[in-house]
Amino acid sequence: VGESVVCTAEVLSGGEPVSGETVSFYDGSTLLGTDETDSDGIATYTASSLSVGSHSLTASALDKSSSAVTVTVNKLTSTITLSVPASGTVGTSYTVSGTLVPTSGSVKLYENGVLKDTLTVSSGSFSKAITQSNEGTYSYYAVFEGSSTYSSVTSSTGSIVVSDVPPVPVVTSVSLTAEDSILSYACRKFNEKRNWKWQTESRNTTP
């Protein structure tokens, strides 16, 4: 697909080239086009819109037809990639993404062998945000089923290991820092000074 096929026919009469003769080119019974032979009896036609598949091409002139030439038109080759993160957490979203040539169409995303979703390809890219409710290993691959001009293709498989939410740390002990020690010392000295002042005032009081 996308490549032109040049058809060339030579018209002879009595072993001599015939110039100015109209040659008709056919795909099966469908007329593709015509051309006039040059001084060497040569006519050409460029077929640029042949569909995918097998084509039987012939040329006709002077009420005679050439033998058929079979031309097979193949689809363009598709390519696809898939990216899956290595690890994830239960309840937290992760993204599976990929690229595709052709740059438009749709791909089917499979999770553990089961169809997960059909994704639209935009500018050659596609993605799916996924959140799991259970831990485990999840495998993914993507499939492009082909089009009229592009072949089908399947990506390689990627896997992610989803784990439970890590436990919240529990405080079991508290260490006294240097600042805590200084504050404790200052508070103790303040209390000692306040008690000493109260005792002094008590002794100076006359009954």
Side-chain angles (χ1 to χ4, degrees):
V1 173
E3 295 183 355
S4 299
V5 177
V6 178
C7 305
T8 302
E10 183 182 27
V11 180
L12 301 174
S13 178
E16 296 296 324
V18 178
S19 63
E21 183 65 30
T22 298
V23 179
S24 299
F25 295 89
Y26 290 87
D27 177 8
S29 60
T30 301
L31 178 64
L32 296 176
T34 62
D35 187 37
E36 286 190 359
T37 57
D38 59 18
S39 59
D40 295 320
I42 302 297
T44 60
Y45 175 78
T46 301
S48 58
S49 58
L50 295 178
S51 60
V52 172
S54 180
H55 299 266
S56 180
L57 305 182
T58 58
S60 178
L62 300 176
D63 296 326
K64 295 184 181 296
S65 296
S66 69
S67 57
V69 175
T70 300
V71 174
T72 300
V73 178
N74 298 314
K75 290 185 176 183
L76 297 171
T77 301
S78 302
T79 59
I80 189 170
T81 66
L82 190 69
S83 177
V84 182
S87 61
T89 304
V90 170
T92 300
S93 174
Y94 58 88
T95 300
V96 175
S97 61
T99 62
L100 176 72
V101 174
T103 57
S104 61
S106 64
V107 298
K108 291 184 176 180
L109 181 66
Y110 288 81
E111 178 185 272
N112 293 343
V114 178
L115 180 62
K116 180 71 173 179
D117 201 356
T118 299
L119 308 176
T120 299
V121 179
S122 177
S123 299
S125 300
F126 60 91
S127 63
K128 172 70 174 179
I130 301 171
T131 302
Q132 301 294 351
S133 56
N134 297 305
E135 63 178 340
T137 299
Y138 296 86
S139 297
Y140 297 92
Y141 64 89
V143 176
F144 173 62
E145 295 184 332
S147 66
S148 60
T149 54
Y150 279 88
S151 62
S152 61
V153 64
T154 300
S155 75
S156 58
T157 300
S159 298
I160 180 173
V161 177
V162 177
S163 305
D164 278 333
V165 178
V168 177
V170 177
V171 178
T172 57
S173 62
V174 177
S175 299
L176 189 64
T177 65
E179 291 183 0
D180 293 333
S181 299
I182 293 172
L183 179 60
S184 176
Y185 175 80
C187 291
R188 187 172 67 253
K189 286 300 182 180
F190 174 78
N191 288 332
E192 289 177 356
K193 184 176 181 180
R194 184 178 60 181
N195 291 336
W196 179 82
K197 182 178 180 181
W198 180 81
Q199 291 174 2
T200 303
E201 290 175 349
S202 297
R203 291 171 183 165
N204 294 333
T205 300
T206 304

